[in-house]
Amino acid sequence: MRRTTVTALVVALIAGLVGVALMPRVPRLGAQTTGDRDLAAAARSATPDPSGRRGLAIALVENGRIRTAGLGDRDLAGQPVEPGTPFEIGSVTKALTGMLLADQVAAGVVGPDDRLGSAWPEVTGPARDITLAELASHRAGLPRLAPGSPLGWARILWSNVSGGNPYAGQGVDTIRSAADRVSTDDDERGEVHYSNLGPSVLGHALAAKAGVAYPELLHARLLGPLGMTATVVATRDDDLPAGRAQGSRAGGRPLEAWAGAGYAPAGAGPWSTAEDLGRLLAATLAGTAPGADAATARFREDDDTRIGYGWFTTRHGDREVVWHNGATGGFRSYVGFERATGRAVVVLGNTDKGVEPIGLRLLGMPQREADSAAAMVLPWIGAGLAVAFTFLGGISLLGTARRRQLDQVTVLAAAVWAFAYLGLGHRLGDWSVVPAWLWPLGAGLSAAGVALAATRWRALPVVDAQVPWRRLLSVASSLGAAVLAVVAVAG
């Protein structure tokens, strides 16, 4: 017994040392600086915790003057972020789609109370009676995403595990079909309930009314007139901009860039720069941007927040900020402006760590007010996944190895699961919140479990004859865990 324990400890120590070499490498905002040095210094002061960040692109508008800066690295190779480096902007695109509606209303092409079916006659289901204004303000009673099949949800789950694009392969027809099939929730219609489907339907409906695709309409009516030449909608991988930032998790795992046509009006596919978005905010503040009226608050979400066409307006004490943020697989974005001060800010980051507090601090908000805008739920989910997956498999394997009644198939399944969990913890955990050195401890724990199981291996039957169904269940579990492990390590 003593010899077995010593063997397990030695194996655990060796595995832990190997785990140190393989443990997650958390990015940290680099020292490189481009553009306006004073703005870069202010941005660093507004970013008290550089852990979990790789690079930031900043624009600040004051009295009509646009200043820009880049901080840190745009990719794993250490290339510097520049003010003109393209980032995924995610749901900031919803504000642009809202501006398209306001522009088309001003041009007399559509009215805010026009029904969806009049702008996009191909939509024949119940959603055809929703108004364009309801779609732009998340008041249409539509679900967050298009209702899908179990296979579709499995594909989304797979992309989350593998770090891929969950919107890949979903085109305009996907959105039109969803608009035909979806049933609006009459209890929620008229109330603000955030949706990716609604703005996507709106963008494609406006494009259909104009007889062009959404990217062409966006460029013709908004991007072109504002000189936003670096802003693109990547509907295919070939459309991804050159010199773009590389996205990753805050824990360091690189993620695939998003491209697609279906959800592009809601934020899956558009890329922009701090320079371009600075132009947008300056013109919107001045009232000269096409569709600038979209930022006018029209409908109430709660006591502090109202919404216009895509743009939110939130009260912070006696101050009001008009804003939108964005989140894709490996990027975070924030644009906001304060009419009373004439100040506006753009913050783009290439990890999935939120940037809203940085933007609010640069607008002059007190730190407590700024920090309250941070999304605290998601980081703690990532932290929980890191701890649970890192230790769950090893603890389970140790318990299995010490059971009196045991067979080889059960041991094998438990061992495969232990290392599958390690891989998932490595890839899915938020190691900017949890100390990365915990992962080698989990590796050592799993290795100790394997060592204990190995000492009993020859004496165990292949399968416990008293429970014959266990063999099939164990084999199936082992195969499933093996697939997850391959995805976690190779993704």
Side-chain angles (χ1 to χ4, degrees), residues 167-364:
Y167 296 100
Q170 300 186 59
V172 178
D173 286 343
T174 303
I175 302 302
R176 184 199 53 77
S177 174
D180 276 339
R181 292 182 290 110
V182 72
S183 297
T184 59
D185 191 327
D186 291 336
D187 292 335
E188 294 187 352
R189 188 172 175 183
E191 299 179 357
V192 177
H193 293 280
Y194 196 82
S195 170
N196 286 325
L197 179 60
S200 298
V201 171
L202 172 64
H204 294 307
L206 294 173
K209 182 71 174 179
V212 297
Y214 174 79
E216 284 71 34
L217 181 64
L218 184 66
H219 183 270
R221 302 299 304 184
L222 185 61
L223 305 182
L226 291 176
M228 298 173 64
T229 57
T231 302
V232 299
V233 179
T235 60
R236 305 171 304 164
D237 288 343
D238 292 343
D239 299 329
L240 294 170
R244 63 187 178 274
Q246 181 179 17
S248 72
R249 296 197 188 280
R253 179 190 183 187
L255 299 175
E256 181 180 323
W258 287 7
Y263 282 94
W271 294 69
S272 190
T273 66
E275 292 175 336
D276 267 14
L277 292 174
R279 294 187 186 96
L280 173 77
L281 293 186
T284 302
L285 263 174
T288 59
D293 185 52
T296 300
R298 293 171 168 84
F299 313 103
R300 183 167 297 280
E301 179 180 13
D302 55 37
D303 291 342
D304 295 320
T305 301
R306 293 169 293 154
I307 188 172
Y309 298 154
W311 290 94
F312 291 95
T313 298
T314 298
R315 179 172 291 278
H316 299 269
D318 59 351
R319 301 172 65 175
E320 279 193 343
V321 175
V322 183
W323 63 279
H324 212 296
N325 59 357
T328 64
F331 293 85
R332 292 295 184 267
S333 57
Y334 176 83
V335 296
F337 62 88
E338 192 174 5
R339 297 188 192 275
T341 62
R343 177 179 284 192
V345 67
V346 176
V347 185
L348 306 175
N350 60 345
T351 69
D352 61 1
K353 190 167 185 175
V355 297
E356 294 87 352
I358 301 173
L360 287 171
R361 288 173 191 149
L362 289 173
L363 285 176

Side-chain angles (χ1 to χ4, degrees), residues 424-481:
L424 290 171
H426 192 290
R427 295 302 192 182
L428 299 181
D430 187 350
W431 296 100
S432 68
V433 177
V434 177
W437 51 259
L438 288 179
W439 194 83
L441 293 182
L445 189 66
S446 294
V450 170
L452 289 177
T455 61
R456 298 184 58 190
W457 182 260
R458 291 184 179 180
L460 296 176
V462 174
V463 63
D464 190 339
Q466 295 180 351
V467 280
W469 53 265
R470 181 183 293 173
R471 180 182 181 87
L472 293 177
L473 181 60
S474 298
V475 170
S477 299
S478 298
L479 290 176

Side-chain angles (χ1 to χ4, degrees), residues 5 38 86 99 125 149 155 232 252 263 266 419 428 437 440 449 491:
T5 301
D38 290 339
M99 294 177 77
S149 64
R155 180 179 54 79
V232 299
Y263 282 94
F419 289 99
L428 299 181
W437 51 259

